[in-house]
Amino acid sequence: MTRWRVARLTKVRDENGTARTLVFDVPDWPGHLAGQHVDVKLTAGDGYSARRSYSLAGPEGVELTVQRVPDGEVSPYLTLDMEPGDELELRGPVGGWFVWRPDGPAPVLLVAGGAGIVPLMAMIRARRAAGADTPFRLVYAVRSPEQLCYTDELLRPDPGVSVSLAYTRRAPEGHPRPPGRLTAADLGPYGEADCYVCGPTGFVESAAALLVGLGHDPARIRTERFGPTGD
Amino acid sequence: MQADYLDGNALAGPLAEIFAADVSAAVSRCAACGQTGPVASLRVYDRAPGLVARCPGCEEVVLRLVRSPDSAWLDLRGAVTLRIPLRDGTGPGGQR
Ligand SMILES: [Zn+2]
C-alpha cells in the first residue's frame, strides 16, 4: 500500500511561459520506473483538499513538470506560488503499466501531445542514465514554439534518439513541416516498436488510431490520457 | 463524451491505497462484452461521485470506486476477472 509522504520543494525551473519543473526532497523515496506518476494533495487551511496526478519527469528523485491551466485548482499554485521550502503531500510512485524499463530490448516510439511529453522525457532520461542503446524515436506535437518543454535538452544530440517536432498551429520560421494536426506521415514509416502515447484524450485517441493504421500491434501501444485540462 | 474522460492510469493512486499490487497494470475482462485489456486502458470518468471506469469496447461500467473519509467502496460487478501481474510489485522502482 502506498502512503502519503511529505515532500519539500527544493528547486524550480521554468520550462516555458506556462510550465514549470519542481524538484522535491522526499525522505525515503523508494525509486520509480520511467512513466510512473505521483498523486499530489494540497490541503487548504479549512481542510478542503484537492488531488492531481503528475508524471515523474526524471529517472531519479521526485521531479515534476506541471503545465499551468488557467482557472485550475492546483496547477496555478504549483507553477506560480509555491516556493522552495514549501511542502505538500504526495503519494507514489504509482502506475505500473505506462512504464519503460531500460532492459526492454525493443525499439521505442514515443508520441507526445503538449504536456504529454513529461513521462516520455522521463523514459528518454532513463535510457540515457542507464546507458541503454535501445533505439528511441520521439514525435512531439505542440501548438506553437512557446509551448515546448525541455527544448535545449531535446535539441542536443543524444545518440540513438531521434526527435521530430510537429507544430499544430504555428511553426517557427523555416521549420520544414507546415503547421497542422498530426498525421500518419509524422509517425511513419512503420517500424516494429513499443509505442507510448501521452497527451490530452483527443490527441491520444487520434495518435493511437494512426499507429494502428500504420500497422502497429494495438497490444504494443500504451497510452496515457490526462483529460481535457490536466489542471 | 469523447474528450472528457481520463484512463485507468488515473486509478493507480487511489487503488494503491487499497491493494499491495498495482491494479492499473492488471488485465480485466468486461462482464458485458468480454473484451479484455489492461485496467490502465479503461475510460475513467471522474465527474461522477468517485471514479467510474468504463470498457473502451462497449462503454459499460467495469469498476467503480468511491472514497469516503473512513472507507473505500469498490464495485467490481462489471469485471468478470482481474489478472494481476506480480512482477511489477518487486524490485527497485516497483510498486510499494
Ligand atoms: Zn465491454
Side-chain angles (χ1 to χ4, degrees):
Chain A
M1 286 187 295
T2 308
R3 61 187 171 87
W4 292 99
R5 302 163 190 271
V6 174
R8 178 184 297 264
L9 184 64
T10 57
K11 240 192 301 187
V12 296
R13 192 165 60 236
D14 284 329
E15 298 292 348
N16 59 43
T18 55
R20 174 157 98 151
T21 292
L22 302 96
V23 183
F24 291 93
D25 178 42
V26 185
D28 303 319
W29 181 250
H32 59 271
L33 295 167
Q36 287 193 293
H37 62 267
V38 296
D39 291 347
V40 166
K41 179 161 74 172
L42 293 179
T43 306
D46 62 1
Y48 172 78
S49 77
R51 293 177 188 188
R52 294 292 182 277
S53 292
Y54 294 105
S55 292
L56 290 149
E60 301 281 336
V62 178
E63 189 172 320
L64 311 177
T65 301
V66 177
Q67 172 72 46
R68 181 161 61 253
V69 177
D71 307 324
E73 257 184 343
V74 174
S75 62
Y77 172 72
L78 296 179
T79 54
L80 293 170
D81 301 326
M82 194 175 189
E83 290 176 0
D86 291 345
E87 293 179 337
L88 51 67
E89 283 180 285
L90 61 79
R91 171 171 75 185
V94 291
W97 188 70
F98 194 81
V99 297
W100 178 75
R101 292 180 172 80
D103 58 3
V108 170
L109 173 57
L110 307 172
V111 185
I117 186 67
V118 181
L120 307 183
M121 193 69 212
M123 295 177 190
I124 291 174
R125 289 169 168 170
R127 175 190 181 278
R128 199 185 302 142
D133 54 11
T134 316
F136 264 44
R137 182 173 165 223
L138 167 68
V139 179
Y140 181 9
V142 277
R143 237 175 287 160
S144 61
E146 295 77 27
Q147 310 267 317
L148 280 173
C149 281
Y150 317 124
T151 314
D152 295 345
E153 189 176 345
L154 286 173
L155 297 181
R156 209 178 302 142
D158 188 351
V161 179
S162 90
V163 175
S164 34
L165 300 176
Y167 296 99
T168 56
R169 299 268 175 81
R170 191 170 53 76
E173 194 111 354
H175 191 77
R177 179 192 181 278
R181 58 185 303 169
L182 201 71
T183 66
D186 294 310
L187 300 176
Y190 172 81
E192 182 253 336
D194 287 339
C195 304
Y196 294 86
V197 185
C198 185
T201 298
F203 174 86
V204 169
E205 299 294 316
S206 67
L210 292 172
L211 290 171
V212 172
L214 282 165
H216 288 275
D217 177 356
R220 291 182 65 184
I221 302 173
R222 293 181 182 223
T223 54
E224 180 158 87
R225 303 161 175 84
F226 53 69
T229 64
D231 187 17
Chain B
M1 207 165 202
Q2 161 82 11
D4 62 356
Y5 60 88
L6 300 165
D7 61 35
N9 294 293
L11 294 169
L15 289 172
E17 195 175 31
I18 307 170
F19 296 104
D22 174 33
V23 178
S24 72
V27 171
S28 66
R29 176 186 294 272
C30 172
C33 74
Q35 180 166 321
T36 60
V39 168
S41 69
L42 297 175
R43 299 182 172 182
V44 171
Y45 298 83
D46 61 357
R47 303 282 154 84
L51 295 164
V52 176
R54 292 177 176 273
C55 172
C58 70
E59 279 285 326
E60 283 299 318
V61 175
V62 175
L63 178 161
R64 198 192 300 263
L65 175 65
V66 180
R67 183 75 166 80
S68 72
D70 58 357
S71 67
W73 179 79
L74 180 60
D75 177 352
L76 280 169
R77 84 186 74 170
V80 184
T81 54
L82 272 183
R83 182 188 168 84
I84 301 169
L86 297 177
R87 180 198 148 175
D88 281 343
T90 60
Q95 296 300 302
R96 308 294 161 116

